[in-house]
């Protein structure tokens, strides 16, 4: 439970379960090269008033005080505290200027609020994604997980959100408005919410809300934050039912066979690719096209229309009416629309163009570059929000979803207000973990790309951690495309692992193989009878205790009536093998097997290799039986329906023809409720049962025998 207390010095403190986590909450405004804080000289805080009440979020208590500068009222602070959340809101009572410090997110101005943090807390934060405008093109960086101990100091670079935690409790901190220009940074012995350092003036009536939300762990605190920000705006959580999330796509982007720098895609190559997918009977539901438009340089579009040198007959004919996800980038200064970088109106024209080509979504890349190269998107908070919201609403008006790429964490937070934004990329391009492809790029004159190589374990950790965060905030994570089959010229040496990561992510799943290279058997292991990707109930969520260890653990699950299948991803970030031991986060008996190989795993299992990934499936055990799921599916229990009966048996209905795997050391009987007895094959303690589409069977203990029959 959260409580606000006013300390003897008049500053608020935020207490969690009877312990002060945040202290000295107040205000800092620029004063030359330093700061003027409340209670120090000319910036003073008045007396507090408080009252209690009740609203849709429950009972609350509110404390209010006014701060004066040079004796004149400057701003009012209202702190409202409910059981599991708290909102600190500043309102300016008169204009405030000058404020600017430097043109950087890392050096923000107008810190409201600033606070110290209890030193015994650990933290998880995501770097903001933009720093200083002095950085070279394209500016900024992919948001990166930051972890550590508060007592060692919080990061001085911009980040958002911040989650403070210790065993059994976590507190998330994030802006409630002005997201594109509102980073958090480490400040003194704690942190502060500020504004991008080039913001120079704020008007009277300007508001800044900051949320503090409580959970039992980091994800619970972020989930509560997502609820507060999305209240009354979006569906409660993202859905895999969106067309882009539902089925397999083929995309060309950095890391695919048709990487622009290595082998550009065009009309002729696209026709060849699609002819091969038909010949292979590949179960694709859509296409994602990168750089289909003319540009002055990569990341700087001239206009979002088909590039006549690549697609002289447009996009409709070569794509054969498959739905499209179309890539967008930042705008060139000399664009065909005559639009400034902060003008959202031209997106109405772009949305109409995309819809005319059969697009179902806009894949908006280079978003941070647009902010990096456009002064007003950094110095004017209102203009920045208007640009981003205007973009999303223009696509929504045409029925198009939006996928974010090269976004800042501020844009992720802003998306809580925009239902059209459904997904966000969670790491750099797949290309940058493929050394073979980078060496090939270097041979073509792009030697600098070799320095951008990212170890696969690091890329996967970022995808998983950031994926958990964006899901809590209302988006599905996108791990970028992958290759379903290793390619000597590109890499892609672990396709099954990459496939599992993306299936469990619950976000878009895209392939990038060249003509004839798709591994169709692997693709069919990802989908059900209707072509929909088989998913768990949510993306993998990090175990807090593993955030700073050698092995990062991430759990997700699939719930059926009276039973839950747990899925564990374990990632060894150390330079040597590390023992792996884990049990599902609920009581009960489970049978563990390797989700990649289909092999049972003994208690403890083998050490996990350096940089290695383990995928373990924990099937619920009842009366000596554990239905492992459909043997040929990566997410085995998501295929069909499973019902644990009160008397100990199981009722199972297959979605399509498949092989049911059952762990039955004491035997089992599988009875068909209609039709012929199912075929049963015993392999030690594992029983394999062939099921027809929509077949309903009952699974019972076998008293030492393995058999199939018909229920009467």
């Amino acid at each position: 439970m959260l409580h606000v207390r006013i300390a003897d010095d008049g500053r608020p403190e935020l207490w969690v379960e009877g312990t002060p986590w945040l202290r000295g909450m107040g205000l800092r405004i620029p004063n030359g090269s330093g700061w003027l804080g409340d209670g120090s000289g000319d910036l003073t805080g008045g007396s507090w008033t408080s009252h209690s009440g009740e609203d849709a979020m429950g009972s609350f208590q509110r404390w209010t005080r006014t701060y004066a500068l040079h004796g004149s009222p400057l701003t009012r602070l209202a702190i409202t505290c409910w059981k599991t959340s708290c909102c600190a809101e500043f309102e300016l009572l008169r204009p405030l200027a000058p404020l600017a410090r430097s043109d950087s997110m890392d050096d923000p101005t107008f810190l409201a609020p600033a606070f110290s943090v209890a030193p015994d807390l650990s933290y998880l934060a995501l770097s903001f994604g933009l720093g200083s405008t002095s950085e070279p093109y394209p500016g900024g960086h992919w948001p990166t997980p930051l972890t550590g101990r508060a007592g060692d100091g919080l990061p001085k670079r911009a980040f958002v959100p911040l989650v403070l935690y210790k065993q059994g409790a976590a507190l998330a901190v994030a802006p409630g408005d002005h997201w594109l220009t509102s980073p958090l940074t480490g400040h003194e012995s704690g942190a502060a919410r500020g504004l991008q350092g080039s913001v120079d003036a704020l008007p009277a009536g300007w508001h800044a809300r900051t949320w503090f939300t409580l959970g039992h762990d980091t994800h619970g605190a972020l989930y509560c934050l997502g609820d507060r920000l999305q209240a009354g705006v979006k569906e409660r959580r993202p859905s895999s039912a969106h067309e882009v999330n539902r089925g397999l796509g083929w995309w060309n982007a950095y890391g695919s066979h048709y990487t622009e720098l290595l082998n550009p895609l065009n009309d002729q190559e696209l026709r060849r690719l699609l002819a091969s997918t038909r010949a292979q009977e590949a179960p694709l539901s859509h296409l994602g096209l990168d750089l289909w438009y003319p540009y002055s340089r990569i990341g700087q579009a001239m206009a979002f229309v088909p590039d006549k040198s690549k697609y002289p007959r447009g996009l409709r004919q070569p794509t054969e009416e498959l739905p499209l996800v179309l890539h967008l980038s930042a705008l060139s200064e000399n664009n065909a629309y005559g639009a400034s970088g902060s003008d959202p109106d031209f997106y109405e024209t772009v949305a109409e163009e995309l819809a005319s080509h059969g697009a179902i979504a806009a894949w908006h890349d280079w978003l941070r570059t647009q902010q990096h190269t456009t002064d007003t998107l950094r110095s004017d908070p209102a203009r920045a929000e208007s640009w981003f919201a205007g973009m999303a609403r223009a696509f929504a008006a045409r029925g198009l979803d939006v996928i974010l790429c090269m976004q800042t964490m501020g844009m992720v937070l802003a998306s809580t207000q925009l239902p059209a934004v459904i997904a966000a990329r969670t790491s750099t391009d797949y290309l940058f973990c493929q050394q073979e492809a980078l060496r090939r790029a270097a041979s073509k004159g792009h030697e600098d790309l070799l320095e951008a190589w990212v170890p696969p374990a690091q890329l996967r950790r970022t995808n998983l951690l950031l994926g958990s965060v964006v899901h809590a905030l209302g988006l599905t994570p996108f791990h970028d495309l992958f290759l379903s089959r290793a390619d000597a010229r590109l890499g892609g040496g672990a396709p099954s692992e990459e496939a599992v990561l993306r299936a469990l992510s619950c976000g878009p799943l895209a392939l990038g193989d060249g003509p004839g290279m798709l591994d169709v058997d692997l693709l069919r292991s990802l989908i059900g009878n209707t072509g929909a990707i088989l998913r768990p109930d949510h993306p993998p969520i990090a175990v807090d205790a593993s955030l700073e260890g050698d092995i990062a653990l991430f759990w997700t699950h699939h719930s059926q009536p009276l039973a839950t299948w747990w899925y564990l991803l374990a990632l060894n970030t150390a330079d040597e093998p590390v023992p792996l031991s884990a049990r599902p986060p609920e009581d009960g008996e489970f049978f563990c097997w390797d989700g990649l190989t289909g092999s049972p795993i003994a208690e403890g299992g083998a050490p996990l290799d350096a940089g290695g990934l383990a995928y373990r499936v924990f099937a619920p055990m009842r009366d000596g039986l554990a239905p492992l799921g459909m043997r040929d599916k990566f997410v085995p229990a998501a295929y069909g329906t499973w019902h644990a009966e009160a008397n100990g048996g199981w009722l199972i209905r297959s979605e399509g023809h498949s092989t049911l795997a059952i762990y039955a050391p004491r035997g089992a009987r599988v009875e068909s409720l209609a039709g012929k007895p199912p075929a049963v094959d015993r392999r030690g303690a594992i029983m394999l049962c062939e099921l027809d589409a929509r077949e309903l069977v009952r699974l019972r203990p076998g008293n030492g025998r393995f058999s199939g029959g018909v229920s009467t």
Side-chain angles (χ1 to χ4, degrees):
M1 183 175 293
L2 287 176
H3 291 283
V4 172
R5 297 187 183 182
I6 306 301
D8 292 342
D9 64 0
R11 292 186 174 91
E13 299 178 343
L14 192 56
W15 288 53
V16 175
E17 304 297 345
T19 303
W21 281 32
L22 307 182
R23 285 181 155 155
M25 189 180 294
L27 172 68
R28 306 287 188 276
I29 59 176
N31 182 27
S33 60
W35 297 97
L36 184 63
D38 58 287
S40 58
D42 294 327
L43 183 60
T44 58
S47 59
W48 289 94
T49 62
S50 66
H51 75 277
S52 301
E54 189 168 340
D55 61 13
M57 289 169 51
S59 299
F60 67 82
Q61 189 163 7
R62 180 172 295 137
W63 291 261
T64 306
R65 81 184 306 193
T66 298
Y67 295 88
L69 180 61
H70 305 302
S72 174
L74 173 67
T75 185
R76 180 182 299 114
L77 169 62
I79 302 177
T80 308
C81 190
W82 296 265
K83 184 177 180 180
T84 59
S85 58
C86 178
C87 182
E89 181 171 6
F90 284 88
E91 178 189 4
L92 282 179
L93 303 177
R94 58 183 173 92
L96 182 60
L99 291 170
R101 291 172 57 83
S102 65
D103 200 346
S104 174
M105 291 287 180
D106 297 331
D107 186 24
T109 187
F110 191 61
L111 308 183
F115 48 85
S116 63
V117 175
D120 63 328
L121 299 176
S122 296
Y123 70 83
L124 166 66
L126 277 300
S127 64
F128 193 85
L130 271 183
S132 170
T133 52
S134 64
E135 297 172 358
Y137 182 88
H141 58 274
W142 287 92
T144 304
L146 309 170
T147 59
R149 301 280 291 180
D152 296 329
L154 293 170
K156 297 304 180 184
R157 67 192 297 192
F159 57 84
V160 78
L162 167 67
V163 190
L164 303 164
Y165 67 95
K166 61 182 179 181
Q167 187 171 4
L171 184 71
V173 186
D177 46 22
H178 313 297
W179 295 283
L180 269 71
T181 51
S182 293
L184 299 170
T185 55
H187 180 75
E188 297 174 353
S189 61
R193 177 256 174 97
L195 288 171
Q196 206 271 359
S198 64
V199 174
D200 194 45
L202 296 172
W206 189 84
H207 287 254
R209 290 185 298 275
T210 302
W211 280 100
F212 305 82
T213 56
L214 185 65
H216 293 299
D217 54 21
T218 56
H219 189 263
L222 287 164
Y223 203 90
C224 184
L225 174 65
D227 281 349
R228 295 294 169 262
L229 295 179
Q230 293 180 92
V233 180
K234 296 183 73 169
E235 299 174 5
R236 188 168 184 271
R237 280 294 166 271
S239 171
S240 293
H242 289 285
E243 191 167 357
V244 176
N245 290 333
R246 189 168 59 243
L248 300 176
W250 181 92
W251 296 35
N252 74 303
Y254 276 30
S256 76
H257 176 82
Y258 291 105
T259 297
E260 182 82 356
L261 298 175
L262 304 178
N263 185 26
L265 184 66
N266 57 31
D267 181 291
Q268 182 178 353
E269 286 297 313
L270 184 55
R271 291 172 187 274
R272 187 162 77 94
L273 182 281
L274 290 174
S276 77
T277 64
R278 286 195 305 274
Q280 290 189 279
E281 298 183 354
L284 300 178
S285 70
H286 66 273
L287 299 175
L289 296 186
D290 186 20
L291 299 171
W292 55 281
Y293 48 83
Y295 55 83
S296 58
R297 63 187 294 188
I298 292 178
Q300 300 279 289
M302 301 299 297
F304 296 113
V305 297
D307 183 340
K308 291 183 179 179
S309 68
K310 293 180 178 178
Y311 303 103
R313 288 169 286 192
L315 299 181
R316 279 285 195 178
Q317 193 175 30
T319 57
E320 302 174 359
E321 304 301 318
L322 270 174
L324 297 179
V325 177
L326 292 178
H327 179 268
L328 306 176
S329 73
L331 272 180
S332 169
E333 186 176 352
N334 299 314
N335 63 82
Y337 309 101
S340 72
S342 61
D343 177 15
D345 293 341
F346 87 97
Y347 282 111
E348 296 175 7
T349 301
V350 177
E352 183 177 0
E353 177 76 20
L354 266 59
S356 74
H357 296 297
I360 55 174
W363 159 26
H364 204 324
D365 201 355
W366 298 82
L367 283 163
R368 71 169 189 256
T369 301
Q370 189 73 15
Q371 190 172 11
H372 175 74
T373 58
T374 307
D375 291 347
T376 53
L377 295 185
R378 302 186 308 277
S379 63
D380 186 336
R383 191 72 176 268
E385 299 299 322
S386 175
W387 164 74
F388 188 74
M391 175 272 293
R393 288 169 181 150
F395 292 118
R398 287 285 177 176
L400 301 176
D401 292 328
V402 177
I403 300 169
L404 306 182
C405 192
M406 286 179 67
Q407 73 283 347
T408 68
M409 287 306 298
M411 295 171 188
V412 170
L413 289 167
S415 296
T416 59
Q417 312 302 297
L418 302 165
V421 183
I422 63 164
R425 268 273 299 279
T426 48
S427 70
T428 191
D429 302 307
Y430 180 60
L431 172 74
F432 294 107
C433 69
Q434 297 170 262
Q435 288 182 310
E436 297 89 339
L438 293 175
R439 284 193 288 266
R440 189 174 167 211
S443 71
K444 292 178 175 287
H446 303 285
E447 294 86 355
D448 57 312
L449 294 185
L450 286 172
E451 300 176 4
W453 178 72
V454 180
Q458 179 181 326
L459 190 74
R460 290 169 171 182
R461 181 178 183 271
T462 298
N463 269 323
L464 289 166
L465 272 175
L466 186 52
S468 176
V469 174
V470 302
H471 171 262
L473 297 174
L475 303 177
T476 54
F478 179 28
H479 288 211
D480 200 15
L481 58 78
F482 74 104
L483 300 177
S484 69
R485 193 189 304 273
D487 186 322
R489 297 171 301 169
L490 295 175
S496 292
E497 294 181 5
E498 299 294 348
V500 163
L501 287 164
R502 286 155 179 80
L504 296 183
S505 78
C506 298
L509 201 160
L511 292 309
D513 302 83
M517 289 291 289
L518 286 169
D519 184 339
V520 176
D521 288 339
L522 182 142
L523 302 193
R524 295 198 185 282
S525 296
L526 291 163
I527 61 174
N529 201 43
T530 64
I533 301 167
L534 301 175
R535 308 284 200 181
D537 292 351
H538 57 74
I541 295 169
V543 176
D544 289 353
S546 75
L547 287 176
E548 298 178 65
D550 289 333
I551 291 190
L553 302 177
F554 301 85
W555 286 103
T556 183
H557 67 269
H558 182 79
S559 294
Q560 294 276 3
L562 303 180
T564 299
W565 282 253
W566 287 93
Y567 306 110
L568 171 70
L569 290 172
L571 188 63
N572 182 4
T573 59
D575 296 328
E576 58 186 11
V578 177
L580 171 60
S581 179
R583 284 190 53 79
E586 73 167 335
D587 294 333
E589 188 178 2
F590 294 87
F591 177 72
C592 178
W593 64 314
D594 190 314
L596 293 167
T597 66
S599 303
I601 294 178
E603 185 69 27
L608 185 56
D609 290 339
L613 176 76
Y615 172 43
R616 295 186 176 178
V617 178
F618 291 80
M621 182 92 78
R622 292 166 57 89
D623 296 321
L625 296 178
L628 306 181
M630 299 306 170
R631 186 179 181 226
D632 55 348
K633 304 299 180 183
F634 281 126
V635 186
Y639 195 51
T641 57
W642 312 69
H643 186 90
E645 296 186 292
N647 62 1
W650 296 83
L651 277 177
I652 303 169
R653 184 186 295 276
S654 172
E655 181 182 322
H657 180 83
S658 194
T659 303
L660 171 64
I662 305 157
Y663 176 65
R666 300 195 299 271
R669 179 172 175 79
V670 182
E671 302 172 343
S672 175
L673 273 69
K676 63 181 180 180
V680 171
D681 180 20
R682 177 182 177 181
R683 299 184 182 179
I686 302 297
M687 181 177 181
L688 301 178
C689 179
E690 293 293 326
L691 299 183
D692 293 329
R694 306 300 298 166
E695 184 173 1
L696 181 64
V697 298
R698 174 172 280 120
L699 176 62
R700 300 180 185 275
N703 299 318
R705 302 179 63 188
F706 293 79
S707 61
V710 177
S711 181
T712 56

